[in-house]
Amino acid sequence: RKEVEQDPGPFNVPEGATVAFNCTYSNSASQSFFWYRQDCRKEPKLLMSVYSSGNEDGRFTAQLNRASQYISLLIRDSKLSDSATYLCVVDRDNYGQNFVFGPGTRLSVLP
Amino acid sequence: EPEVTQTPSHQVTQMGQEVILRCVPISNHLYFYWYRQILGQKVEFLVSFYNNEISEKSEIFDDQFSVERPDGSNFTLKIRSTKLEDSAMYFCATTPQQNQPQHFGDGTRLSIL
């Protein structure tokens, strides 16, 4: 099983749609989880951290299921500017200094 | 908002030459990282650095690579005897503490000819 796996994508959705991305990780000892977005040929930018109780930031909601080793990101009312690749990031150990990036899921929001 | 700064933005080098990529971390950040991303592939961890020494490194980070923070500001990645397959984007990232989200620089595109 790969360390971090994500929905293969791409996702093509109309403006205003709700879209959900899934991510699974293999190391049950992982403690830190993040969602980043990456625009083409740019650096990854933090979208949000993922907390055990789930968390929301505006149109974005992240969920963590430790038992299933599964993370999700929900985007509501998607905008054209949400078009990007979404990266799931998990720490490889619980020292928080070695992070594994998933391969990413590309989202295109269409007018 | 404070930024991680990387130079150069693009480096073109002949195979076999040495390159040094530079990063200026955010001033109160203590943990530093290098990642690489080959075109069309995922972001890969290379090395983490704290308190002037390597904390962790990946299997990619072999004897060809080294890092240092020689003057307390620049955090550098040196690649000796570059190979064609070293062509990639190299990102520096920093955090104030471990387990915190990382702030990325905008990367150095390394092209080996």
Side-chain angles (χ1 to χ4, degrees), chain B residues 20-96:
Chain B
I20 297 176
L21 311 183
R22 292 183 169 79
C23 169
V24 178
I26 294 172
S27 62
N28 63 338
H29 286 196
L30 302 177
Y31 294 83
F32 313 132
Y33 309 83
W34 282 102
Y35 292 86
R36 80 173 185 191
Q37 187 174 29
I38 295 169
L39 186 64
Q41 298 187 23
K42 67 176 187 175
V43 176
E44 299 174 289
F45 170 79
L46 293 178
V47 65
S48 59
F49 189 87
Y50 169 70
N51 201 26
N52 283 319
E53 57 184 35
I54 291 173
S55 308
E56 300 199 42
K57 59 183 182 178
S58 71
E59 57 276 8
I60 302 169
F61 194 89
D62 59 21
D63 292 342
Q64 185 194 5
F65 294 88
S66 61
V67 290
E68 62 176 359
R69 198 175 183 215
D71 56 8
S73 61
N74 282 297
F75 174 51
T76 63
L77 174 68
K78 183 188 290 186
I79 310 175
R80 287 180 285 275
S81 190
T82 48
K83 310 187 199 67
L84 294 176
E85 54 265 37
D86 294 328
S87 296
M89 281 290 287
Y90 287 81
F91 293 111
C92 173
T94 72
T95 60

Side-chain angles (χ1 to χ4, degrees), chain A residues 10-51:
Chain A
F11 284 47
N12 299 313
V13 303
E15 266 187 293
T18 295
V19 60
F21 301 132
N22 300 312
C23 170
T24 57
Y25 60 96
S26 61
N27 185 357
S28 59
S30 294
Q31 296 292 324
S32 302
F33 310 93
F34 308 98
W35 283 103
Y36 280 75
R37 66 170 282 167
Q38 186 175 30
D39 295 292
C40 189
R41 296 178 178 259
K42 299 286 192 181
E43 77 275 20
K45 290 187 176 173
L46 177 70
L47 186 63
M48 57 198 305
S49 302
V50 186
Y51 303 120

